[in-house]
Amino acid sequence: MSLSALLAAAPSPGAGGSLDEAAERAGNAAGWVEENWSTWLNTGLRIILIAAIAIVLRYLIRRALTNLIDRMNRSAQAVEGTALGGLLVNAERRRQRSEAIGSVLRSVTSFLILGTAALMILGAFQINLAPLLASAGVAGVALGFGARNLVTDFLSGVFMILEDQYGVGDTIDAGVASGEVIEVGLRVTKLRGDNGEIWYVRNGEVKRIGNLSQGWSTAGVDVTVRPTEDLDLVRQAIAEAGETMTKEEPWSERLWGPVEILGLDAVLLDSMTVRVTAKTMPGKSLGVERELRWRIKRSLDAAGIRMIGAVPLHTDGESVADPTAAMAAPSAYASTTSPQSLAATPIPPPNLTK
């Protein structure tokens, strides 16, 4: 046999070494997988279990909150058509308040549940959470300083809704603006002004609130008459107008008490003022004041009592003279330096002594 044939039939040392090395590596990989597959399975099951519990818990809590809000709205709608429904319950106000509270609770619930689940999943991967939490704390502080106005508006809106300081349909004085509340939000409150304008008031800018629609309101009317009128007749006429008003609809429901005559509020040389008040339903004081003035005026006219105001009172048939009728129009000749006066000045005669 030749040498070349022997060399070809002999095994190659390089090929045998690579096969042994590959087999060793495959054995090591199989052993590593066999050692760690239980850990991987345990970690995967923990992650799946954490995610499933978080999703189910979030769904159940959000559904419970939604059912609670729907129940609150149904209870408000149930009494809306009753006699006291418009007084005790404002359906739109209750609806917006319940939806705002529900939105806050749902957001907080989702943030807490999903945030906790994410941290638990990261912990299952053996990730050190201390640097992550420290970075999140620093970012939260920076965000709080940068968006402090937004945070202030949001927190003020949350506490305002929870405390039920005002709601849709209330007439409030917020300091920066006043009017009827048409929408309540977590950041901005919308007000309808007396002239129809809409005010957008940030909740964080409101320092004090004057709610004119809670409890009861007061309607006040000042009746100004001549100082020579008989006070007993004036009191009787006003009392008759108030008593008639309390017995007629819809004023009998809007008036929560009798019309009271407090007495003389001011006595002057040419007039005297009688103060009249009445306790009314919240938000109905302006309408009661207008109707009360109307009835008092008619009652005083029927009794022959004249009401006066800022315009001086004159007897019937007496003509009022114009105080400027006897005044002449200003003349340009009144001033000696005016061009008209200089033009009308006589020319002095020439000097003939020269």
Side-chain angles (χ1 to χ4, degrees), residues 28-106:
N28 293 336
W32 182 75
V33 170
E34 183 178 359
E35 291 177 358
N36 295 282
W37 74 271
S38 59
T39 304
W40 295 346
L41 181 61
N42 186 20
T43 303
L45 292 178
R46 287 181 59 186
I47 293 174
I48 294 175
L49 183 61
I50 291 172
I53 292 176
I55 293 174
V56 172
L57 185 61
R58 177 176 177 268
Y59 172 76
L60 293 177
I61 294 179
R62 289 175 65 93
R63 184 176 180 180
L65 292 175
T66 303
N67 293 335
L68 178 61
I69 292 170
D70 293 340
R71 185 178 302 175
M72 294 173 58
N73 293 333
R74 285 196 300 268
S75 62
Q77 294 174 0
V79 297
E80 185 178 3
T82 60
L84 297 179
L87 173 62
L88 299 178
V89 178
N90 188 320
E92 181 65 18
R93 171 176 177 172
R94 290 284 299 272
R95 185 189 65 81
Q96 288 202 6
R97 181 168 179 261
S98 60
E99 288 183 356
I101 295 176
S103 176
V104 173
L105 293 179
R106 283 192 293 265

Side-chain angles (χ1 to χ4, degrees), residues 144-331:
F145 277 106
R148 57 184 181 274
N149 292 333
L150 181 62
V151 175
T152 301
D153 297 340
F154 181 80
L155 293 179
S156 299
V158 170
F159 284 105
M160 178 271 299
I161 292 175
L162 292 178
E163 296 172 359
D164 196 18
Q165 298 178 5
Y166 56 84
V168 175
D170 287 351
T171 301
I172 65 172
D173 181 2
V176 294
S178 61
E180 181 182 356
V181 180
I182 60 176
E183 184 177 344
V184 178
L186 294 177
R187 194 182 69 87
V188 175
T189 298
K190 292 183 182 180
L191 303 178
R192 174 79 66 180
D194 296 335
N195 297 326
E197 68 276 9
I198 296 180
W199 298 97
Y200 295 84
V201 181
R202 288 172 43 197
N203 295 328
E205 293 182 349
V206 179
K207 303 302 180 183
R208 50 96 174 163
I209 289 292
N211 197 324
L212 307 180
S213 301
Q214 287 184 351
W216 47 269
S217 301
T218 301
V221 176
D222 292 330
V223 182
T224 305
V225 296
R226 292 180 296 184
T228 57
E229 299 290 348
D230 189 352
L231 289 177
D232 294 334
L233 294 178
V234 174
R235 179 186 294 272
Q236 182 180 358
I238 296 176
E240 291 178 355
E243 184 177 359
T244 304
M245 183 176 175
T246 55
K247 296 179 180 179
E248 297 181 359
E249 296 289 342
W251 311 109
S252 58
E253 295 182 359
R254 299 180 183 180
L255 285 170
W256 284 10
V259 178
E260 299 180 0
I261 303 174
L262 301 183
L264 286 175
D265 193 62
V267 179
L268 303 176
L269 294 177
D270 57 348
S271 66
M272 59 182 179
T273 303
V274 180
R275 182 68 174 175
V276 182
T277 61
K279 185 180 294 186
T280 68
M281 182 186 298
K284 304 297 182 181
S285 59
L286 293 179
V288 172
E289 287 178 359
R290 296 187 182 99
E291 182 66 18
L292 191 57
R293 291 191 187 97
W294 181 283
R295 293 175 179 269
I296 290 176
K297 177 63 171 62
R298 295 182 61 181
S299 180
L300 292 178
D301 290 343
I305 301 173
R306 297 288 300 273
M307 296 181 63
I308 62 175
V311 181
L313 182 65
H314 302 281
T315 58
D316 296 338
E318 180 181 353
S319 60
V320 181
D322 187 2
T324 62
M327 298 176 58
S331 176

